[in-house]
Every structure is written in structure tokens, then in C-alpha cells.
Amino acid sequence: MSGLLILVIVVYLAVLFLVAYKIDASTRLRLRVANSPTIYALSLAVYCTAWTFFGSVGGASAYNIQFLTIYIGPIVLMPFLWFIYRKFIRISKAQGISSLSDFIANRYDKSIGLNRLVALLLMLGIIPYIALQITGIDKAIETIVTNNGTEQNAWLRYVDTSLLVTLGLGYFIIIFTTKRFQEKEQNMGLVGAIALESIVKLLVFLFFGIYIVFYASDKPDLFSDFDASKLKLNPNNDYGQWFGMIFLSALAFLFLPRQFEMGVVAAANERKVKRAIWMFPVYLLLINVFVIPIAIIGNNMFAGHKMNPDMYMLSIPMHLNSGWMALLVLLGGFSAASGMIIVATHALSKMVSNAILMPSFINNRFVLNRFKDRNHRIPVFFRRLSIFTVLLLAYLYHKLVVADFTLISIGLVSFVAVAQFAPAILGGIFWKLGNKYGAIIGISLGFFVWLVFLIGPTILNVNVHGMFRDDLNAVRPEGDLITTVLFWSLLLNFLGYTVGSILTRQTALEQNQATLYVDIMNYSADVDSGVVWKGKAFFPDIKSLLSRFLGERRVTAELNHFAQKQGIDLAAQDELDSRLIGYSEKMLSPIVGASSAKILISSVVKEEKLSMEDVVNILEESQKIIAVNKELQQRTDELKRVSEALKLANARMKENDLLKDEFLYTVTHEMRTPLTSIKALSELLSDEEDAMPDEVKREFLNTILKESNRMTRLISQVLDLENFESGKHQLIIDKVNVSELIQHCLQSLDGVFKQNNIQVCVSVEDELPELYADSDRITQVVLNLLANAAKYCDKERGKVWVDVTRNGSVLQVKIADNGPGVIPELREIIFEKFFQAKNQTMRKPKGSGLGLAISKKIIQLHEGKIGVDTNKPEGAVFTFSIPFTQNRD
Amino acid sequence: MTGKKILIVDDEPNIVLSLDYLVRRKGFVPLIARNGTEALSAANEHIPDLIILDIMMPDIDGYDVCQTIKTNPIFSHTKIIFLSAKSRPEDISKGLKMGADKYVTKPFSTKQLMVEIVDLLK
């Protein structure tokens, strides 16, 4: 069992190595990890440590679900995260920031002192937290080994597993944070490994939860102790404490170094934050789903035994003799703890190395020059030394101090520590007047309170609690002490920061940085001139300096690239452009830290003191560039819009062209028919004149005449329609007597009716109002309909009806015949020009080429309607209706 | 050659008028159909040697008439000339694909048409 236990951990670590290694080795994978919002959200779940994995159940076992505030805090924060993280990420990118302490120090005059202070305090605050994770792993292993009483495993009790684990993790951190570290990209192998750890701890927790609930489902005694009313969100009815805890964890989420590392430094772009805003709360929800059931089952299972509830997660499966489940849970707990240890140590070691070790080294000219040839290895060496130091201190803290405390309490102490950076950081990005002295005073005051009331007792074992309450048994810093200290420390901190800032003056550099931090959104997402310099420098000097730390090849390539992008001519310049100096500092910053980068650059730049005026000028200039860019963007957008519109117009024109082509084709086609007869007949006439009998000649000539008339009619109709459609034909509106108009039409067709023996029935309603219309056009419509009726009515006993009625304010004219009628499929399209669709081979009924299309147009111009009756089975009934008085004018 | 039967299919009476005269003058026997249905029944009845076929007709279009006749073995000797106002290349190629022997566009030259007829009936 114990051998297996070690094996599982070793194999798990090996898998982590492999994943991180694979990602690092492939550019494609690195890019995928860098661009994946899901992996980003999972990497943020480094928030859930061993404290979540084991401690939540411990907290819930006392029927006090106040532990949930730790998760409610970040969830409440999420809607605001976009606004805060976006600024964090942009500022960090623009200034080459690689740690929380650099972020703070760069804002406040690039102060080395402040940078050191923050790094030191974070060590104080975070090392106990790392120690807590080591303890978590240690306790977990111990639970398995002691519960598994077989003698052959006894050897494990004499081996310090926590030391082995610490060393193993230290090795992992060194490999994956200092190997590729001279390169520009963020450490995606590490991010991928952390995301994987987040998946493992969540899946294991869910799996164990389902397993245990399933096991307990038919054992009611395991729930006998349960009484829902005992579950209290707020056991002491202390809402201040509740609010305090939520507030505290929201601040912790923002300012814990491991969160800053994953959420800001390792974030390749700010867009990913959007997905995290909903995905991260879902993660927190899932990992807490089974906490309470497990706590209840544990309470019942071990009623009467003295069992540490923090270890229910392990003692339950051990009690059930489920060794493999215990191993799986251990693995989940290990992934939770190791994720925190890795990222926190990485982040802390960066600060220790860059803020504490590096500046001392660089300021010492003698040492710096002595190791001149090996300068590029110094940052790596310092980083490794820092990692070792941090882990060693954490291990010692674990061994000497932490063992007696619950998992939750020490975490909260760390939370209060990082909360002390809230005024300086949030003030720094939202308030331009905040300055270095304010920040130093505020942070010092806050930490003093924290140190005296929270850390002091854990080291000295003094009962501080008793100073606030008469509860002499409590030695552990519990919730109410935490919130009390949080309140007072933050209050003093905030007052110190604001009063200190108001009472002291900012330097020019600080003012510049303040503007860059607060107004970062006014600058582009990737400000290359984030660092402002004024002074003289020479290219060879700065290049050799950079090369010492970054390697000559990379420096040459990057400086050339930057110069090209900014239009700086490197060859022509002895004296360097200030933008290039700024860029050099930014390049150096992630490697040696912001403070050291500034010292190094100052050593080769003959700096002139930056005046307020300079700052204003520089800022104005860079804002102007942004403005020009914005304008350009607007122009581009406009151009895009115009070209879209053009494209659309072109498409419409093409469509119109197509319709026009079709129309033209149909017109010429229609003309071909009479032309064909005319041509054939006249050819025959001219060829055969002599041989042709006279009556045939006459018939041919008559036909030619008829066909010529047909063609003339066609041409004038086409022109008519065209003129209506293009708007050339305007209606001439005048008073019209409808009855007279109808009579006139009938008279002009009288000959046709008589010739074909057609009976005409007319009915016109009496006392019709006067119609306001274009008399000639309406006549054209009536004539057209009458001519159609005469053409299509019954050949033997033809009948045509004309029916004129008034329907309210509308004149209705109905013209019907007793012919075969219009087949239903054609009732719509007979009003179209030539009413034949493309490629139609069906011949239209004779003569109805354009007449109905023109009639429809005319009626439409009179705001009326025309249609053919579809109800009658036989005979065509055409009806048009127009208002007596039109709305026009 | 004289005495051969030529079926004229067109719904325009005046075009039929000229074709009828033309065919008769050259000594052929004209048969008249004014739409696709009439054309098919006349063809079945008389098995003409040649058909002058319009495309746009009120019932069955000329393409269908042509295809029906060309796929029927009893018309293996019957030639077909399309005579149509449809003059686009795609119309012509479709007509020839349906199995027509010639495609003449309207308006046509009576002399030219007769040359084609004589040529086909050789």
C-alpha cells in the first residue's frame, strides 16, 4: 500500500512533467494553450488548494457552512473582473511586468524600496500558505499509513515524505520555470500542467462525492445525525463577519501571487478573461457540490471517535477498506496542493530574485564586473536559489509551526496578508494622485496590524483571541478574529495610503507612470512606448548591456524588429531614440525585474531630469498617435461600409441587367414572329411574282399589312410600358364621367362585337360620383380588357358582361366573358410582361403580350388593384378597382 | 423527291401560310399541325419524311415533340428541322441535342430553308 502510494505520486508527477514538456516543445501546442480561454479558466482554478480539497469538508463538519464565503467572494467579483483584469493585463504587457511586486513598484516611481518591501511581505504572507499545502499532503499520507495498520508499512513512518514531496516539486518548478526563461513567451508548459491539475482535482472530488453518496444511499444511519436546520450559513448571526469574509476572498483572488501569475502575467491576451467570468464560478460550484454530504456521512461514520474532520475525505474510504479510492482521493488532494505550491513558489521566487537579490547584485559594480562574462546566467541562478529558499522556508514552517492548525485558518491569515495590497494596487490603477509614500505607509501599517495580531500568535502560541473575547480555549485565529483584523488593518492601510499620497508630492516619473496605469485604456492594447525616457545613450552601449542578459542574437533581432516597426534608423543614429531606450528596459524587465532593469538602463543612459512638461509632451504625443490610429480605423470602417454598399448595388444592378436582358430577349423574340411572316411572304412574293395567282398575291399582301400593324402595336406597347416603369409617363388627372367613358369604349369596339356576333351586357350603377383619374389611361385599360374578352369569349355564342359599381369610395369595374377562362396556374402571371418565365417554352395565348402588364401598371399608378376572378369555373372575370378620389396632392 | 410528305408545325397561321405555299411550290406534300398534340397525331398517321417544327407552342413544346419522334423507330427516316424564334446558343444546342437534324432561326430565308430541306431529303 505505501509503496503503491509513493508510486502513484511519482507517476502523477511524471505525467505533469510530460504534459508541460510536450507543450513547451511544440510551438503549435504553446499557441493553443496560450489562446484557449478554457485552459485559462482552469488555470485560475489554482485558487482551489488542499484547503478546498480537504478543508472544506472539515469546515462543513461543524455544520457551519461559512467556508462557502471563500468561494462566494470570487464569484461576486467575477462581473467586475473584466474591468480590473483588462487593465492589469494591458499594463503588464505594456511595461514588461512579470510579478505582483513589479506591478506595484512600477506604478510608484519604480521604487526599489517598495518592490523589496512588497516581496518581503509576500514571503511572510505566502510561505505559511505553501507550508499549509505541504502539511495537507503530509497529513493525507499519514492518514493512509496509520489507518492501514499492517506492520510491513511501518518504514514509511520513519521517512519524511513531506520533504521528499517538497524536493520533487522543487525540481519540477526549477525545470519548468527557469529552463526556457530567457525566451519571450509566457510559460505555457506550466499553465498547461496547472490546468491539468485543476481537472484532476475536480474530477476526483466529483467522483468520490458520487461514490460516497451512492454508497450511503441505502444506509440511513449515516444520515441519522443530519438535521437541515443545523446547517447555518451564518452561525454567529454576524453579518459583518459574513460580508468581511466575502470581501476578503474577493481581494485574495485578485492579489494572491499565484492568481496574479496565472490570471495576468501568463495571460497572453485579455479576451480570455470573458470566458473565465462564467466558467470559473461553474468550477467553484462543482467542486463544492459534495462537500456537505461528505461531511455529514463522515460525522456519522466516526461518531464517538476522535477523527480530524479535515481528513474525512481519506478516512472514509480507509474505513470502508477501499484502498484504491483512498489512493485516488490522495491523488486529487495532491494535485490541489501541488498546483498551489508550484505556482505560488514560482511567483514568489520571481519576486525574491528580481526585487531582493538582483538589485543588490547590480548595484554592486565590483561583483557585477567580476562576473561580467557570466551575467546572463545570474538571473537563472538567482531564480533557482529563490525557489530553493522559498520551499525550504515553507518546509521549515510546516515542520515547526503549522502542524497544529486547521487547514482553513492559515489560508485565511494569508488572505488577510495579500489584501493589504488592495489600496496600493486598486488606487494605483484608478487614482492618479496615489504615490510612493502613501503606498509604503499604507502597506506598512496594514502589515503591522496583520503581523501583531495574526502571525504573532501562531509563532508565540499566545492567546490573542482572549484580547477580544473571554474565550480562553481558542488559540486558533478563527473567523471573527480574521475579519476584525482585516477591518482594522485595511482601514489603517487605506488611511495611510490616501493621507500619505495627499501630503507628499509625486516625481515626474511617477506622474507619468500614474497616467499610464490609470489611463491605460486610452493607449493601445500593446503600448510599445510604455516606458518613458529622456536622455542620451549610445546604441553599442545599450546593445552590449542587453546582450549580457539576453544573448546577442535575440537582442539584435528584437531591436531591429522594433526599430523597423517604429521607423527608427539604427545605423544612422549614434544617439538613441528614447522609444528604443524604453523598449530595451521593457525587454530586460521580465528577466531581471523592473527595478533592476531601471538601474541597468540608467547605467548606460545619461539621463536628463524629466520635467513635468516633458511628461505632458510625451503623453500628449502618444495620445495623438492613438487618435490618428482611431481616425484611421474609422476611415477604414467607413471604406468598408461604402464598399459593402457598392457590392450590394452592383449585385442589384446585375440582377436588373439580367431582368433587362430577359425583357429585351422576349421583346425581340416577340417581334420575330410577325417579322418572320412578313419576311417569308414578301420573299415568296418577290421570287414568284409571275407564277403566283392574283388572289394569293392579295392574301399575302394583306397578311403582310396585318403583321406590320401587329409589330407597330407591339413596339408602341413596349415603349408605353417602358415609359410607365421609368416614370416618364405621368398621369394627367382630371374629372372623368365613368358612364361616358364606358360608353365610349363600347362604341369604339362595336365593330368587333358585331363582326363576331358577340352579345354585350352592360350595367352601370346610377349616380356614380365623379372619378378623378387619367381618362385616356383608364380608357386604355377598359379597351384592353374588352378586346381580350371579345377575343376569348365563346366562338359561337359569345357573351361579354360589363359591370360598373360603387363600393364605398372605390370604383369597381368587372369585365367578364363566357370563354374557357384563365387556368388557375396562370392567374397570377398573366399580368407579367409577356408572362413567360425564363426558358419557358410554353406559348402564351395569342395577343396577350403586354396589354395586361400595361393595364396593371396604369391601375397601380391610380392606387388601385386589378385581378382575375379565381372562383368562377368557366369564363374569365377581370376586375379592377380604383378610388374615386386619390390621395395624391 | 417530289411527293415526299412534309409536316409543318406552327401556331402562327401566317407563318404556316408562307411555309405551305413554299413547300407546295417545290412539289412536296404539305401537312399542317397547329400545336404539339396535332403534330404527334399527324406524324403517327402519315409518317412524314420531314417535319418543320416550331418550339414555342401552347400545349406540348417542340423539344418534346422532337424527342418523342426521334426515339420512336417507326420515324427512323423522318428528318426534323427546328424553325424557331429562340435564337440563343443554348436554345440551339438543346434543339440539336433532342435529335433535330437542323436548326433554323426565325425570321428565315425561304430560299435557304428550301436548300436545307432538299439537302436533308436527298
Side-chain angles (χ1 to χ4, degrees), chain B residues 5 39-51 67-80:
Chain B
K5 286 177 276 186
L40 285 176
S41 66
N44 274 319
E45 195 181 326
H46 302 288
I47 320 286
D49 299 287
L50 187 140
I51 302 174
Q67 202 173 25
T68 312
I69 287 172
K70 280 289 173 184
T71 49
N72 188 342
I74 65 165
F75 296 113
S76 59
H77 296 297
T78 301
K79 308 286 182 191
I80 292 180

Side-chain angles (χ1 to χ4, degrees), chain A residues 665 669 672-673 676-677 679-681 683-684 687-688 691-692 699 703 707 710 840-843 846, chain B residues 11-12 14-15 17-18 21 25 56-58 61 63 85-88 91 106-111:
Chain A
Y665 178 71
H669 178 252
R672 262 167 225 250
T673 306
T676 303
S677 305
K679 187 180 176 190
L681 292 172
E683 241 183 67
L684 289 172
D687 286 354
E688 314 245 335
M692 201 181 273
E699 191 190 1
T703 310
E707 291 290 314
R710 178 175 165 192
Q840 187 185 313
T841 47
M842 193 86 102
R843 184 105 176 125
K846 281 273 152 46
Chain B
D11 63 336
E12 277 288 334
N14 294 331
I15 292 176
L17 180 70
S18 62
Y21 183 87
R25 278 290 287 141
M56 305 238 293
M57 287 182 293
D61 75 41
Y63 293 132
K86 288 169 86 75
S87 56
R88 282 189 286 208
D91 301 327
K106 289 176 184 171
F108 59 94
S109 147
T110 49
K111 280 185 220 119

